[in-house]
Amino acid sequence: MHKLPIVALTGLPNSGKSTLINKLSGKHGAVTSDVAGTTRDRQYFDIAWDGSYFSLVDTAGLVEHQDNELEKNVAKQLEKALEESSLVVLVIDGKLPKGGLDQKTLLKFRKLKKPVILAVNKIDSPKEIDQAVKTFNVLGIKAICAISALSGRGLGDLLSLITDELKKHADLDLKPFEHTGIAVSIVGKPNVGKSSLFNKILQEERVVVSSIPGTTRTAIDSPLSYKDTDYIFIDTAGLKKKEHKQAEPDIFSGFQTFKSVRRSDVVMFVIDAVEEITKQDQKVAQEIFKLGKGMIILINKFDLYKGDENQLRDYISSYFPFLWMMPAFLVSAKTGVGITDAMDSIKPIYERRLKTIDQEDIDKLLAKRMKINPPKLLRDQKKPKVFGLAQIATNPPLFELTVNHPAAISSQFKKSLLNAIIKDLDFWGTPLNLKVHKKI
Ligand code: GDP
């Protein structure tokens, strides 16, 4: 997968920015992140529109005053998001004079050396559209689009305006993900053996390292073929060097690891068999999990481990209970043990992430759950009623449960349903989401 152009979405509080992002992301798999520091409050959504693709980033939004640390921080977050983007969409409230913007903010946007699209929101009737565009022309931003984030009116025009603008820039690539293989990254804290593992994988007899002529991708990523399947190992530049002794910073504080994980289909999460599991290991695992990526756990340096194998597995599971659905392999980059099994497990995980389940099988599973473990009546809540379950997205898989009243459905029921989906419908190796939706 390659990097898509980034479009930053921003607006004043109450302009309808969140409604807009919900509407736009609803149809697309939401990639969420709230990792510490730089990426907090930023969510990315990969959007496909009319054959063009881009990544929409939800920013912290504009703050009018920067009186305290929090507000200053939010402003800084916005600066960073604007910096990494190729285009900015500014959402304003069409019901307010000047959309609620002051001169200073406007000037700031005019000064940005990036194209800005003004999305005039809350324009609910078609009659108002032309009028709105005329009214807000005075703000000095040429690309204007009148929308209603609530009803969805004008969103198609907005998306076309975005892709048309991006297409003007020859250096941007809006092509859909070029399928160069299953994207894999190797992630873990320093010294767990990521480089050693990668180098060992390259030495596997069935691995053929390919090169893509005319691209610089091989400088960053490593395309390879293993048992007739193409893979692309992400961000391996640092891992390829045999001697990389410099300390890596806190793994998710930099943007790099986060970015590599985002580009991956399946992440190899590496831990050390003979070192204590630390908070840092747990944090890395949580971040990968939250990004909804397929995952395998590599317990490396198994050659140094002298104890009981089951004990080691139990010890590790106790630190990562939320990863129960992820296969774990005892491996050694030194002897090569376990590496073939780990490599073999990636493709099935990738395929599970893309598969869709027949409604009939889903209905059967739900009926069985309702029989064995129906939702219990919660205190002060309505009697829970479940109307149906459906798969609404793949990669990562997403299921939607339709009920009479979401608050009446116990988290225990949701959890047991989710676990049953993973076990009975075979979604091993991938995080799975369940949305609870009120029947209208
Ligand atoms: P990275 O920082 O995660 O990339 O870790 P490295 O690959 O640089 O490995 C850190 C150290 O652990 C090096 O001294 C490696 O030789 C050693 N190492 C890595 N994997 C293994 C293994 O499976 N067994 C043993 N005995 N040592 C290993």
Side-chain angles (χ1 to χ4, degrees):
M1 287 182 192
H2 58 195
K3 194 169 178 274
L4 292 171
I6 295 178
V7 173
L9 187 75
T10 189
L12 286 168
N14 250 330
S15 59
K17 180 178 79 81
S18 305
T19 315
L20 178 61
I21 203 106
N22 286 340
K23 205 75 169 187
L24 289 175
S25 62
K27 293 196 294 295
H28 310 267
V31 193
T32 326
S33 158
D34 60 351
V35 294
T38 49
T39 50
R40 189 180 294 280
D41 291 331
R42 273 195 264 169
Q43 288 185 300
Y44 290 82
F45 307 95
D46 289 344
I47 306 250
W49 183 250
D50 207 12
S52 296
Y53 290 67
F54 62 89
S55 257
L56 190 68
V57 49
D58 184 12
T59 71
L62 292 169
V63 283
E64 285 152 288
H65 310 285
Q66 295 177 30
D67 295 335
N68 57 38
E69 275 312 304
L70 182 73
E71 286 170 354
K72 281 194 185 118
N73 193 27
V74 170
K76 228 187 271 163
Q77 291 290 335
L78 175 65
E79 290 297 328
K80 284 202 182 125
L82 295 183
E83 230 168 75
E84 68 164 359
S85 65
S86 303
L87 185 151
V88 180
V89 176
L90 173 60
V91 188
I92 59 167
D93 184 341
K95 300 258 186 260
L96 295 177
K98 291 203 168 176
L101 289 173
D102 57 28
Q103 277 307 327
K104 218 170 109 199
T105 315
L106 254 176
L107 201 64
K108 190 176 130 157
F109 280 92
R110 274 196 225 135
K111 271 196 192 150
L112 270 182
K113 287 198 181 74
K114 308 203 170 182
V116 177
I117 292 176
L118 194 66
V120 182
N121 191 27
K122 309 192 187 178
I123 305 301
D124 298 311
S125 94
K127 278 192 303 215
E128 296 171 49
I129 292 179
D130 284 348
Q131 189 53 38
V133 172
K134 261 186 225 135
T135 313
F136 288 97
N137 224 340
V138 295
L139 295 183
I141 297 174
K142 281 190 223 90
I144 305 182
C145 189
I147 60 166
S148 165
L150 208 55
S151 72
R153 195 186 298 283
L155 297 199
D157 293 344
L158 175 62
L159 289 168
S160 297
L161 206 58
I162 293 173
T163 50
D164 286 350
E165 187 59 46
L166 291 173
K167 278 183 204 158
K168 287 184 199 159
H169 302 265
D171 56 325
L172 298 178
D173 192 355
L174 293 134
K175 278 204 293 297
F177 298 128
E178 205 183 309
H179 196 81
T180 46
I182 303 174
V184 181
S185 56
I186 308 179
V187 175
K189 69 177 183 199
N191 270 320
V192 290
K194 298 182 294 297
S195 303
S196 313
L197 279 168
F198 180 61
N199 287 306
K200 196 74 187 173
I201 290 168
L202 292 184
Q203 286 163 20
E204 270 271 323
E205 52 182 317
R206 298 194 199 229
V207 169
V208 182
V209 181
S210 30
S211 63
I212 304 172
T215 69
T216 53
R217 177 168 308 141
T218 42
I220 312 159
D221 301 334
S222 303
L224 51 92
S225 151
Y226 172 75
K227 296 188 181 173
D228 294 329
T229 300
D230 290 333
Y231 294 83
I232 177 153
F233 276 66
I234 303 286
D235 271 332
T236 43
L239 296 182
K240 270 194 243 175
K241 286 182 227 127
K242 288 243 159 66
E243 295 292 319
H244 83 116
K245 284 277 165 268
Q246 83 268 31
E248 292 168 60
D250 180 14
I251 193 118
F252 262 94
S253 67
F255 208 42
Q256 204 46 48
T257 309
F258 172 66
K259 270 191 181 158
S260 319
V261 171
R262 259 192 81 226
R263 290 166 62 215
S264 307
D265 296 307
V266 180
V267 178
M268 289 181 152
F269 169 55
V270 188
I271 48 182
D272 189 323
V274 289
E275 293 282 328
E276 297 270 308
I277 307 278
T278 62
K279 283 222 163 66
Q280 203 184 356
D281 291 307
Q282 289 175 307
K283 191 176 142 205
V284 174
Q286 271 157 2
E287 297 307 340
I288 303 168
F289 189 78
K290 268 197 254 168
L291 285 168
K293 298 302 177 178
M295 194 171 173
I296 58 175
I297 306 167
L298 301 189
I299 306 160
N300 188 34
K301 308 195 190 177
F302 187 54
D303 57 295
L304 299 176
Y305 182 76
K306 299 286 172 257
D308 177 64
E309 190 179 312
N310 288 331
Q311 232 170 13
L312 176 62
R313 284 188 180 272
D314 288 348
Y315 166 75
I316 288 163
S317 318
S318 70
Y319 279 88
F320 303 101
F322 57 100
L323 298 184
W324 65 269
M325 74 296 287
M326 309 302 183
F329 299 90
L330 301 163
V331 300
S332 165
K334 196 169 165 200
T335 66
V337 76
I339 291 182
T340 308
D341 287 347
M343 282 295 287
D344 288 346
S345 72
I346 295 174
K347 192 179 172 188
I349 293 179
Y350 175 72
E351 287 168 347
R352 282 180 208 126
R353 289 169 64 76
L354 296 179
K355 74 175 179 182
T356 52
I357 308 287
D358 285 345
Q359 188 57 47
E360 205 182 309
D361 295 329
I362 300 175
D363 291 345
K364 266 190 217 150
L365 176 123
L366 182 64
K368 192 171 138 198
R369 294 318 302 166
M370 293 304 287
K371 216 165 134 193
I372 306 176
N373 188 8
K376 296 205 169 60
L377 179 65
L378 296 176
R379 242 179 70 179
D380 301 330
Q381 285 294 348
K382 291 196 179 126
K383 191 166 175 250
K385 269 198 198 127
V386 174
F387 299 111
L389 179 69
Q391 181 177 8
I392 57 168
T394 61
N395 199 24
L398 173 63
F399 285 80
E400 190 171 80
L401 183 72
T402 308
V403 300
N404 60 335
H405 206 65
I409 309 297
S410 69
S411 48
Q412 191 271 339
F413 175 76
K414 286 183 268 185
K415 207 168 158 191
S416 82
L417 179 62
L418 207 63
N419 293 357
I421 296 174
I422 294 172
K423 287 181 187 162
D424 298 1
L425 303 178
D426 185 18
F427 281 103
W428 293 99
T430 188
L432 198 101
N433 290 312
L434 181 71
K435 234 166 95 176
V436 182
H437 163 85
K438 185 176 161 59
K439 185 177 180 181
I440 309 166

